[in-house]
Amino acid sequence: MPREKISLIEIYGSASKKLLIRRELSIQDLNINLMSFLQNLGLPIASSCQGEGICRLCIVNESVISCGISVKDLPFDKKGVRKVSIGYL
Ligand code: FES
């Protein structure tokens, strides 16, 4: 039986130019809303509309509204790594 590929996420701060978090993703993680996932990791994702998709404060990767997608919706490279950059961190 082939070994299941490990899925990873790397979260970068654009302002600090630092890798903030690198961790494995579980199947459960993939189905979580991206903004909630990042907030659950303790990252201060801005929001004034609480995920209604109106305020656009939760943008990551320059133009992705994080409250509007799931972790699994992030594109990933051939090593299975999904990347998120947060402009103000
Ligand atoms: S939290 Fe307001 S648009 Fe995402």
Side-chain angles (χ1 to χ4, degrees):
M1 188 170 165
R3 224 177 125 205
E4 193 171 312
K5 200 170 184 177
I6 296 172
S7 182
L8 297 170
I9 189 164
E10 294 179 348
I11 303 164
Y12 294 86
S14 300
S16 64
K17 298 184 177 16
K18 287 186 178 166
L19 173 61
L20 304 173
I21 295 173
R22 182 175 201 267
R23 57 165 281 176
E24 288 183 19
L25 291 169
S26 68
I27 299 292
Q28 291 82 0
D29 289 335
L30 293 174
N31 291 315
I32 297 174
N33 172 271
L34 180 59
M35 182 175 83
S36 299
F37 177 81
L38 297 171
Q39 289 174 331
N40 290 344
L41 291 174
L43 294 165
I45 306 302
S47 164
S48 66
C49 74
Q50 281 71 48
E52 295 284 323
I54 299 166
C55 71
R56 300 178 61 85
L57 291 173
C58 66
I59 283 180
V60 299
N61 295 357
E62 296 185 6
S63 61
V64 176
I65 297 176
S66 65
C67 69
I69 66 169
S70 298
V71 174
K72 69 175 179 291
D73 299 326
L74 286 167
F76 54 90
D77 65 20
K78 57 187 173 204
K79 291 181 179 172
V81 181
R82 290 173 165 83
K83 295 184 179 174
V84 174
S85 63
I86 301 169
Y88 49 87
L89 294 182

